[in-house]
Amino acid sequence: MVDDPAAQRALWRVREDAAGTATRMADGSEAWPGWEDCAVPPARLGAYLRDFRALLAGHGLRGTPYGHFGDGCIHVRIDFDLLSEDGVRRFRRFSEEAAALVVAHGGSLSGEHGDGLARSELLSKMYGDELVGLFRQFKDVWDPAGGMNPGVLARPARLDENLRFSVLPRERVDVAFGYPHDGPGGGDFSAAVRRCVGVAKCRVAGPSSGPGVMCPSFRATGEEQHSTRGRARLLHEMLAGEVVTDGWRSAEVRDALDLCLSCKGCRSDCPVGVDMATYKAEFLYHHYRGRRRPAAHYAMGRLPVWLRAAAQFSYVVPVLNAAARVPLLAGPAKRLAGIAPERTIPRLAPETFGRWLRRRMKGRAEVFDHGRTVILWPDTFTEHLAPSVGQAAVRVLEAAGVGIVVPPGERGGQRGRGGRVCCGLTYVSTGQLDQARTVMRRTLDRLEPLLDLELPVLVLEPSCAATLTTDLPELLRGDPRAARLAASVRTFAQALEECAPEWEPPRLDRPVAGQTHCHQHAVLGDAADRRLRERAGLTGELSGGCCGLAGNFGFERGHYEVSVACAEDQLLPSVRAAGPEAEVLADGFSCRTQLDQLGGHRARHVAEVLAEALGESPADGPGAAR
Ligand code: SF4
Ligand code: SF4
């Protein structure tokens, strides 16, 4: 018996995702429907399966049968090569022989689904020509013009004449990301796009429940074009060039991708790992290459640059914060920056996290105990907008006896020489991939000496952690340092577990509500967070789904309504339903901002909650910034 809810969820997922998962062989190669859903009398199933396997082997094909064996109904995805003429010929020969085999075992070509284009041509093997002729005559009585369902059942189309992939380009498309698992040797964008097998797990209407994320924009709009599948289909059409004829410049594809939140939910929740956030970044890169971009791309895509510039002159920060609260000034500024008028511009911190940390660490030597030390990543959001998160993390790490190393230049003295480290998230999400690669390369140059120490890299902001884990190695696939940094990334809970496994967090003994960051769900997982919360006596579940802000998405003009609808799917109702004693947790800056701006809820990073319970440390005394 499995009574652990997480293990139960995992088992159910095996069942729910089977139809999609089966489209990949164990070695990652592609497999397709094509010989699906036949049924034989259950008593003949064993003999049929033995013959069927022999038939597969005879054609040099592989496939794993699954289905409703008690009813004799079998599904199977087979590694047909549907891209080459030889492969399609083999698909045809195999289908004809498989049909004869099913009939020889007294079975039916379709068990529980329809015959459709794939099976119609073979029906005369089962019913005989005379009966199929009668089907034709009967249909003609009701449909003399032959307008209804042409090519299916009566006067069938050839089973190999409408194959979806025949229109895809044969040569590889030039792309920026690595797509390591798509196509032989990776890098095949067509293979990435044709991952979608259409099982529509991304088209589940809201409200959602449970930890899943995919697909918030479909739940918000209910429209196919705003689902993962709809977008995958449009990208397919873009590559095919029949209906969408202007390729990467297509306005239709851009509009369908516009409401994709880049939440990465599909990357983990789609059974075949359609990764629309990556495809969107790829599309935006090509779409706007050499052209003027929307204002939001300059304003929010280059956020780290603007925030660093403002922080250079700390006396400017209060002025900017005050101006952002004066409607007469903020209105035009938001219009200029492509920001939704309903949004409030977040406050800049009067003192950056880095400055606070330098003061705190002044005079202390960076000695570290291997196994109990982390590199603390100074992400843009913690640095400029939420330094309290970084300060809290430092206090907790110190209490747990974990040493901290900061990247070169973050302790002062080296500013201006090569710039600061940055994951490139805002450039990636707006498709500014050349800039993203420049920022990432510079980061690796700066970090290289520390990478040699093989320390975990603690990233407090989940979206930055996800970018370093996924986008960095995919955009800089030729640079081994990228893979090393990606493998070193840890969340706060993971770092504590790894570096201070014996440390007992303070007991908080209260319920929680709030948001598991969508990127954390999709890329990093929340198992360590759950364990940390349990040890601290924080009970209950955080919301799945996406908060709807998703970095720049919810701030962009035209996205406000969908952003709110996403927050109303799961997050806001769950926080409203939580009692006043509940601690509202959200490790992502976006999620905290969304909760604040849409509901006035004060959410905190788990580090802040733990640090508060620990109380002041000696280093927090007079002179320490808070
Ligand atoms: S994108 Fe949607 S329809 Fe396509 S395989 Fe994934 S869950 Fe299924
Ligand atoms: S990234 Fe998120 S919003 Fe975009 S298609 Fe995937 S699940 Fe939907």
Side-chain angles (χ1 to χ4, degrees):
M1 289 293 289
V2 177
D3 51 15
D4 170 37
Q8 287 173 343
R9 271 200 305 276
L11 277 179
W12 275 115
R13 191 159 175 203
V14 171
R15 169 64 189 93
E16 288 160 6
D17 289 1
T21 311
T23 62
R24 285 290 176 282
M25 306 301 292
D27 62 5
S29 56
E30 295 167 316
W32 302 109
W35 192 254
E36 273 288 329
D37 189 39
C38 70
V40 295
R44 303 290 297 267
L45 183 64
Y48 168 75
L49 283 176
R50 279 188 289 279
D51 289 346
F52 180 69
R53 284 187 194 284
L55 186 65
L56 278 174
H59 284 270
L61 294 168
R62 297 174 299 160
T64 307
Y66 64 99
H68 321 278
F69 281 14
D71 303 315
C73 181
I74 303 117
H75 299 289
V76 59
R77 304 285 157 109
I78 298 172
D79 65 341
F80 296 120
D81 166 15
L82 298 176
L83 293 168
S84 75
E85 286 180 15
D86 265 2
V88 172
R89 270 197 293 276
R90 184 161 52 159
F91 161 67
R92 179 175 186 83
R93 278 198 309 276
F94 173 85
S95 301
E96 288 168 348
E97 290 173 34
L101 185 66
V102 170
V103 172
H105 281 276
S108 166
L109 301 185
S110 301
E112 58 173 333
H113 300 287
D115 294 313
L117 289 165
R119 216 73 73 224
S120 292
E121 192 193 349
L122 302 169
L123 287 180
S124 56
K125 287 187 190 296
M126 187 165 77
Y127 295 117
D129 290 337
E130 189 185 352
L131 197 51
V132 171
L134 288 172
F135 291 167
R136 204 159 39 234
Q137 287 174 31
F138 184 76
K139 182 171 185 254
D140 288 347
V141 172
W142 303 97
D143 180 25
M148 284 156 53
N149 223 5
V152 178
L153 300 185
R155 297 189 186 82
R158 286 168 56 86
L159 63 89
D160 53 351
E161 81 178 274
N162 287 307
L163 294 177
R164 182 154 61 99
F165 304 142
S166 59
V167 290
L168 287 178
R170 290 296 173 265
E171 63 289 349
R172 288 212 169 179
V173 183
D174 189 22
V175 281
F177 282 92
Y179 306 98
H181 308 297
D182 292 300
D188 185 348
F189 187 64
S190 284
V193 168
R194 63 176 183 260
R195 273 175 180 262
C196 175
V197 284
V199 293
K201 196 181 166 194
C202 51
R203 280 184 47 96
V204 177
S208 64
S209 59
V213 171
M214 179 178 75
C215 169
S217 57
F218 176 77
R219 287 196 295 274
T221 63
E223 290 178 29
E224 170 78 11
Q225 69 160 327
H226 300 305
S227 71
T228 317
R229 181 175 79 175
R231 294 175 179 126
R233 286 286 185 268
L234 270 167
L235 286 168
H236 175 98
E237 293 301 341
M238 181 190 87
L239 292 179
E242 292 181 319
V243 181
V244 177
T245 52
D246 43 359
W248 295 113
R249 298 289 198 204
S250 164
E252 291 86 356
V253 179
R254 183 199 59 211
D255 292 347
L257 289 170
D258 182 50
L259 292 187
C260 168
L261 292 97
S262 299
C263 68
K264 295 187 190 279
C266 43
R267 183 184 172 103
S268 63
D269 296 351
C270 163
V272 283
V274 169
D275 181 7
M276 197 52 67
T278 298
Y279 310 164
K280 178 179 179 179
E282 183 82 58
F283 176 85
L284 292 177
Y285 173 59
H286 297 278
H287 187 75
Y288 288 114
R289 212 168 182 186
R291 295 202 292 181
R292 220 180 76 199
R293 292 171 160 272
H297 288 199
Y298 299 106
M300 288 178 273
R302 300 184 184 183
L303 189 68
V305 174
W306 308 133
L307 292 179
R308 270 202 300 278
Q312 293 293 317
F313 310 98
S314 48
Y315 57 88
V316 168
V317 169
V319 180
L320 289 174
N321 283 337
R325 261 106 211 123
V326 178
L328 269 178
L329 297 173
K334 283 192 266 187
R335 242 192 328 277
L336 206 65
I339 294 175
E342 300 88 346
R343 288 289 173 191
T344 306
I345 296 172
R347 280 181 189 282
L348 301 179
E351 182 184 39
T352 63
F353 170 60
R355 225 168 265 158
W356 175 88
L357 190 62
R358 282 196 292 283
R359 265 220 325 278
R360 189 180 179 94
M361 295 177 85
K362 199 169 180 182
R364 292 197 219 171
E366 253 180 8
V367 281
F368 64 87
D369 171 6
H370 220 286
R372 287 197 80 92
T373 304
V374 293
I375 299 170
L376 185 56
W377 183 267
D379 68 83
T380 294
F381 304 96
T382 304
E383 175 72 6
H384 298 283
L385 300 169
S388 60
V389 171
Q391 292 164 9
V394 169
R395 284 200 286 278
V396 175
L397 291 168
E398 285 177 353
V402 178
I404 296 163
V405 176
V406 291
E410 303 301 326
R411 290 199 74 168
Q414 297 172 52
R415 297 260 159 164
R417 286 202 274 129
R420 297 190 52 222
V421 297
C422 173
C423 68
L425 161 71
T426 57
Y427 301 97
V428 173
S429 64
T430 51
Q432 302 183 71
L433 301 183
D434 288 332
Q435 289 89 337
R437 283 188 285 219
T438 303
V439 165
M440 288 170 172
R441 274 195 205 99
R442 188 179 68 213
T443 293
L444 290 173
D445 291 344
R446 298 226 94 185
L447 214 61
E448 192 165 359
L450 284 188
L451 284 180
D452 292 339
L453 299 176
E454 297 187 341
L455 297 174
V457 177
L458 165 53
V459 186
L460 294 164
E461 171 60 41
S463 52
C464 300
T467 301
L468 290 169
T469 308
T470 60
D471 300 318
L472 169 71
E474 286 211 28
L475 282 171
L476 297 185
R477 55 190 177 281
D479 190 333
R481 300 172 305 172
R484 279 168 65 203
L485 174 52
S488 307
V489 169
R490 304 287 186 276
T491 65
F492 181 65
Q494 287 170 341
L496 275 176
E497 209 168 78
E498 188 173 325
C499 297
E502 78 300 334
W503 181 69
E504 278 306 321
R507 290 293 298 182
L508 293 153
D509 295 319
R510 66 188 82 143
V512 293
Q515 178 80 59
T516 300
H517 195 286
C518 52
H519 289 183
Q520 174 151 7
H521 165 82
V523 176
L524 309 146
D526 66 345
D529 291 76
R530 285 172 178 274
R531 287 190 289 270
L532 177 62
R533 291 202 298 269
E534 195 182 326
R535 288 167 68 195
L538 293 168
T539 55
E541 293 287 320
L542 302 188
S543 287
C546 172
C547 75
L549 196 65
N552 50 298
F553 177 86
F555 268 96
E556 285 181 20
R557 197 186 305 142
H559 290 173
Y560 184 73
E561 222 174 284
V562 169
S563 175
V564 174
C566 292
E568 286 292 355
D569 173 51
Q570 212 186 130
L571 175 60
L572 288 175
S574 71
V575 171
R576 277 187 218 114
E581 73 286 6
E583 190 66 57
V584 183
L585 291 179
D587 285 0
F589 178 76
S590 289
C591 318
R592 293 194 297 272
T593 305
Q594 185 80 318
L595 280 162
D596 176 35
Q597 295 202 352
L598 298 188
H601 304 290
R602 178 177 175 244
R604 294 191 290 173
H605 194 289
V606 68
E608 294 178 283
V609 178
L610 293 177
E612 181 184 74
L614 286 171
E616 297 237 327
S617 80
D620 296 328
R626 304 304 295 267

